[in-house]
Amino acid sequence: DIVLTQSPDSLAVSLGERATINCKSSQSVLSTSGKKNLLAWYQQKPGQPPKLLIYWASTRESGVPDRFSGSGSGTDFTLTVNSLQAEDVAVYYCHQYADVPLTFGPGTKVDIK
Amino acid sequence: QVTLKESGPALVKPTQTLTLTCTLSGLSVSTQGMRANWIRQPPGKALEWLARIDWDGDKFYSPFLKTRLAISKDTYRNQVVLRLADVDPLDTAMYYCARVGVGDALDIWGPGTMVIVSS
């Protein structure tokens, strides 16, 4: 199974500042073609299902504000939230769909400082 | 517009079999490329993938729960059904269904259904 770890477990950022979340995979999540990283990022607010933010490691889902960006390849990935807004308070999960069983990271809680 | 909605019992006794239903709207369970997943989340904990069924009937399971899980689809009712046998209080969780969509990621999720296992 592909194990995902996230760091930090939680962070508090001032409004308007940047939040950076890291995700490390126990093995590569590159597709069989070698062209796509099958890694997604989700945002989950209390009482709501996860919301897809980023897929293919760096492609923003339609309607997601451009302050959210994803980067990385192979086994190391980053989600960056530029200019943090109050509505960005949530838990963020990375998720690999390169192989079954699908797996998720443990989550990173983002709060306002 | 594609939506998914989970339903099932809110309370189940230990050792019973839990049956959950995911009803799809705006998308047929038989449409080529349709892949529906079940994921659960215990209170305050992370997401755990359980199973997937594809439009052609292929099925995939979490190795940790494989002996207890069964996923199926009902073409007539346009539903995906998950059965979890021999439940335990550790199976208490919010259960979500989600489809594979854009970028092959889980792009549309249902609101979830909360299941408590308790005697």
Side-chain angles (χ1 to χ4, degrees):
Chain A
D1 300 2
I2 297 177
V3 177
L4 299 178
T5 57
Q6 289 182 231
S7 61
D9 295 335
S10 64
L11 74 162
V13 177
S14 299
L15 288 171
E17 296 300 307
R18 176 181 300 165
T20 302
I21 301 168
N22 300 300
C23 175
K24 187 172 183 64
S25 175
S26 62
Q27 54 188 278
S28 173
V29 297
L30 272 173
S31 62
T32 52
S33 68
K35 295 181 179 180
K36 300 289 187 185
N37 286 282
L38 303 184
L39 189 288
W41 289 96
Y42 294 87
Q43 176 193 66
Q44 187 178 32
K45 298 180 179 180
Q48 296 183 18
K51 174 187 174 184
L52 177 64
L53 298 175
I54 303 284
Y55 58 91
W56 290 336
S58 61
T59 301
R60 201 178 302 115
E61 166 70 314
S62 175
V64 173
D66 61 8
R67 64 180 180 273
F68 291 91
S69 64
S71 63
S73 183
T75 61
D76 291 279
F77 302 91
T78 299
L79 175 71
T80 301
V81 186
N82 285 307
S83 188
L84 192 82
Q85 304 298 303
E87 61 263 32
D88 301 333
V89 170
V91 178
Y92 293 83
Y93 294 95
C94 58
H95 162 60
Q96 69 79 21
Y97 48 100
D99 196 17
V100 174
L102 307 186
T103 52
F104 294 87
T108 294
K109 185 175 183 182
V110 175
D111 273 320
I112 304 296
K113 186 186 292 182
Chain B
Q1 181 188 5
V2 175
T3 62
L4 295 80
K5 186 171 176 60
E6 307 87 348
S7 58
L11 181 64
V12 183
K13 295 184 186 308
T15 76
Q16 290 185 334
T17 294
L18 170 64
T19 299
L20 297 171
T21 300
C22 175
T23 301
L24 285 69
S25 297
L27 172 69
S28 168
V29 295
S30 300
T31 298
Q32 185 169 2
M34 194 293 298
R35 287 173 279 173
N37 297 258
W38 282 96
I39 301 102
R40 72 179 180 180
Q41 185 174 36
K45 296 190 176 181
L47 300 158
E48 178 186 18
W49 177 80
L50 300 176
R52 186 184 103 193
I53 188 165
D54 296 350
W55 77 99
D56 58 1
D58 279 351
K59 303 172 184 179
F60 304 86
Y61 294 102
S62 164
F64 302 107
L65 294 167
K66 186 174 184 177
T67 59
R68 298 172 53 207
L69 284 171
I71 192 169
S72 61
K73 59 186 176 77
D74 183 329
T75 303
Y76 180 75
R77 292 182 174 84
N78 207 32
Q79 294 174 334
V80 174
V81 178
L82 183 75
R83 291 184 171 83
L84 178 62
D86 192 24
V87 297
D88 176 271
L90 291 174
D91 296 312
T92 293
M94 182 71 81
Y95 286 77
Y96 297 101
C97 63
R99 76 141 193 194
V100 173
V102 63
D104 284 338
L106 302 174
D107 67 341
I108 298 177
W109 295 60
T113 186
M114 182 67 199
V115 177
I116 296 173
V117 180
S118 174
S119 54

